């Protein structure tokens, strides 16, 4: 267990942020979480109620605590207009802030394999484009003496989330029942897209390992899981956990799907990364096999 620290999370009641809060508490840290106060926080987490999309609300709530933190993580920033106020209010209250971005920042039509952290081809619009603009607030903005780190996870799964990693069965409420009933699944591209799903607990432990690690300061990391699998295999493993036959896959034409859903191109590509930069930094590298992680995920939903 690492030495106890005072940790601030922006977010804390959602899927990843809640998992991160739980992991931080389990490691002996004191944890505060900024949320709107509409959902319960994990046990042991101190609430700070504010609307992070309202800069004045965020600033006042954090300043009113009179606290400083050893480490902070922004789990729920989706617009550059929200990134700058968080940086401004925290740059004098913590020595290190982590921003949770996404691998959707990459232009899906200009990917290479494995995709390195740096490229000339980023998205400029949509979810991925906005996340890239948030990253630029750290790269180009005034962060003072505060160090920052950007984490770019790919598909995050695990207890606390819905199941499914690819249209038409991404985060599907009824996926388990469909597979148990022997229904075929409709997947774009027949589910042949490669990706590296990461268990939320692994991602949380990785983020916490950035603390007190100067090799991660002012750096961007792709944060993939340890295995590269076809998306269809993700669904096959779920069937294995359930003890039923693997589902038949009906292929949805990529061309047809993108013609009708042009904003979904980030799902319809291979998402392959190296863990080499993470390993070189000394951070805790994700290692849970997908089969093990999905067993935890499925069993949490069944219980």
């Amino acid at each position: 267990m690492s030495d106890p620290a005072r940790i601030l999370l922006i977010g804390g009641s959602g899927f990843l942020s809640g998992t991160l809060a739980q992991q931080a508490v389990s490691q002996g840290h004191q944890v505060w979480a900024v949320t709107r106060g509409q959902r319960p926080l994990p046990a042991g987490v101190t609430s700070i109620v504010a609307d992070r999309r309202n800069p004045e609300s965020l600033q006042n709530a954090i300043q009113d605590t009179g606290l400083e933190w050893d480490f902070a993580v922004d789990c729920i920033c989706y617009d550059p207009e929200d990134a700058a106020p968080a940086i401004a209010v925290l740059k004098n209250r913590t020595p290190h802030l982590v921003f949770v971005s996404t691998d959707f920042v990459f232009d899906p039509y200009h990917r290479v394999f494995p995709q390195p952290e740096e490229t000339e081809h980023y998205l400029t619009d949509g979810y991925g484009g906005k996340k890239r603009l948030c990253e630029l607030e750290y790269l180009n903005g005034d962060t003072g003496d505060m160090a920052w780190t950007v984490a770019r996870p790919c598909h995050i799964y695990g207890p606390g989330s819905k199941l499914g990693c690819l249209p038409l069965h991404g985060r599907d409420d009824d996926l388990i029942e469909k597979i148990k009933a022997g229904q075929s699944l409709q997947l774009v591209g027949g589910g042949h897209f490669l990706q590296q799903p990461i268990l939320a607990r692994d991602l949380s432990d990785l983020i916490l390992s950035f603390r007190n690690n100067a090799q991660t300061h002012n750096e961007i990391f792709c944060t993939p899981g340890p295995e590269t699998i076809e998306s269809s295999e993700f669904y096959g493993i779920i069937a294995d956990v359930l003890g039923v036959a693997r589902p038949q896959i009906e292929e949805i034409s990529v061309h047809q799907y993108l013609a009708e859903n042009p904003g979904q191109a980030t799902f319809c590509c291979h998402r392959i990364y190296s863990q080499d930069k993470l390993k070189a930094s000394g951070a805790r590298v994700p290692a849970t096999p997908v089969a093990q992680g999905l067993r935890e995920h499925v069993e949490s939903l069944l219980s």
Side-chain angles (χ1 to χ4, degrees):
M1 180 180 294
S2 60
D3 56 304
R6 296 156 66 93
I7 295 177
L8 175 69
L9 307 179
I10 301 182
S13 60
F15 166 42
L16 174 61
S17 61
T19 304
L20 179 58
Q22 290 174 334
Q23 288 302 105
V25 170
S26 73
Q27 293 178 20
H29 303 300
Q30 291 181 275
V31 182
W32 287 257
V34 177
T35 72
R36 291 179 295 171
Q38 298 180 348
R39 291 187 290 181
L41 292 169
V45 178
T46 300
S47 173
I48 300 174
V49 178
D51 181 356
R52 72 87 33 85
R53 304 208 68 178
N54 181 327
E56 184 176 0
S57 172
L58 179 66
Q59 178 177 332
N60 290 342
I62 289 178
Q63 290 182 344
D64 286 349
T65 67
L67 298 173
E68 295 182 357
W69 292 272
D70 302 304
F71 186 66
V73 185
D74 191 344
C75 305
I76 55 170
C77 185
Y78 307 106
D79 290 289
E81 293 81 4
D82 299 330
I87 293 170
V89 73
L90 289 175
K91 67 181 181 181
N92 295 317
R93 291 180 176 271
T94 183
H96 190 184
L97 175 59
V98 174
F99 168 58
V100 181
S101 186
T102 174
D103 73 325
F104 285 164
V105 298
F106 298 115
D107 184 338
Y109 297 106
H110 291 91
R111 283 177 174 260
V112 296
F113 312 112
Q115 175 65 54
E117 277 77 6
E118 299 301 325
T119 180
E120 296 179 357
H121 303 288
Y122 292 105
L123 285 182
T124 57
D125 57 10
Y127 172 70
K130 287 184 177 181
K131 280 285 197 176
R132 176 57 182 169
L133 291 176
C134 292
E135 294 181 356
L136 293 176
E137 292 292 334
Y138 289 86
L139 285 160
N140 302 327
D142 178 11
T143 58
D145 294 329
M146 180 184 72
W148 53 266
T149 306
V150 172
R152 290 179 181 154
C154 35
H155 178 75
I156 309 170
Y157 72 100
S161 174
K162 299 177 183 180
L163 270 172
C165 65
L166 186 72
L168 302 179
H169 295 283
R171 311 289 185 190
D172 185 343
D173 287 309
D174 302 316
L175 183 60
I176 286 179
E177 293 308 315
K178 290 173 181 175
I179 292 176
K180 288 171 66 176
Q183 295 182 23
S184 60
L185 302 181
Q186 295 180 305
L187 298 179
V188 176
H192 295 304
F193 292 117
L194 297 169
Q195 57 176 300
Q196 292 166 272
I198 182 169
L199 183 66
R201 186 180 65 249
D202 275 6
L203 179 56
S204 299
D205 288 342
L206 166 60
I207 290 169
L208 292 169
S209 78
F210 289 152
R211 186 177 68 87
N212 290 339
N213 184 347
Q215 297 300 312
T216 70
H217 289 180
N218 304 334
E219 294 287 346
I220 296 176
F221 293 91
C222 293
T223 57
E227 295 178 85
T228 301
I229 63 170
E230 285 194 345
S231 300
S232 58
E233 177 66 10
F234 191 93
Y235 297 91
I237 293 172
I238 294 170
D240 295 344
V241 172
L242 293 171
V244 300
R246 289 192 165 203
Q248 295 295 312
I249 304 299
E250 297 180 13
E251 181 171 356
I252 301 295
S253 161
V254 176
H255 178 77
Q256 174 188 334
Y257 181 77
L258 290 181
E260 298 171 355
N261 304 275
Q264 299 295 301
T266 48
F267 288 101
C268 302
C269 60
H270 297 305
R271 300 159 66 184
I272 304 172
Y273 311 94
S274 169
Q275 293 184 327
D276 287 350
K277 185 175 180 180
L278 282 176
K279 291 176 181 176
S281 76
R284 182 168 178 170
V285 178
T288 303
V290 177
Q292 177 182 332
L294 277 176
R295 177 169 293 279
E296 293 181 24
H297 193 170
V298 171
E299 289 177 349
S300 73
L301 291 169
L302 293 175
S303 65

